[in-house]
């Protein structure tokens, strides 16, 4: 029998070994999936297809979001916040 908790732990460890840049790339895909999930509503297609596309794209956005958080970890999030909070000096 497969021990699910052990398998999840192995996947978490593998993802946490990936680099900061990889986490940023996955986060970029997350943003792309969020944009696509709402932008497809403007397409002239049936409501059923729009709903199906939204579920798929929004699900992919959430999956990549949590994957990026696992890859970045606590230190990566702090590093990312530092990048956004830099004060710009103009000369």
């Amino acid at each position: 029998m497969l021990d699910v908790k052990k398998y999840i732990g192995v996947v978490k460890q593998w993802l946490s070994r990936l680099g900061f840049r990889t986490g940023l790339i996955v986060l970029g895909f997350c943003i792309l999936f969020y944009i696509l999930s709402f932008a497809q509503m403007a397409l002239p297609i049936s409501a059923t297809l729009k709903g199906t596309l939204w579920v798929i794209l929004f699900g992919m956005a959430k999956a990549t979001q949590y994957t990026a958080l696992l890859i970045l970890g606590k230190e990566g999030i702090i590093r990312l916040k530092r990048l956004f909070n830099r004060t710009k000096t103009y000369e």
Side-chain angles (χ1 to χ4, degrees), residues 4-5 15 23 33 43 47 49 54-55 57 59 66 85 89-90:
V4 176
K5 287 185 181 183
L15 287 173
F33 284 127
L43 295 175
L49 187 55
W54 185 82
V55 166
L57 292 170
Y66 292 126
N85 290 334
T89 58
Y90 297 100

Side-chain angles (χ1 to χ4, degrees), residues 21-34:
R21 186 174 293 180
T22 305
L24 290 181
I25 291 169
V26 174
L27 197 59
F29 278 109
C30 167
I31 293 167
L32 177 68
F33 284 127
Y34 272 121

Side-chain angles (χ1 to χ4, degrees), residues 9-19 67 70-73:
V10 169
V11 171
K12 277 184 173 180
Q13 282 182 341
W14 177 73
L15 287 173
S16 67
R17 285 193 303 251
L18 296 174
T67 303
L70 282 172
I71 292 171
L72 291 172

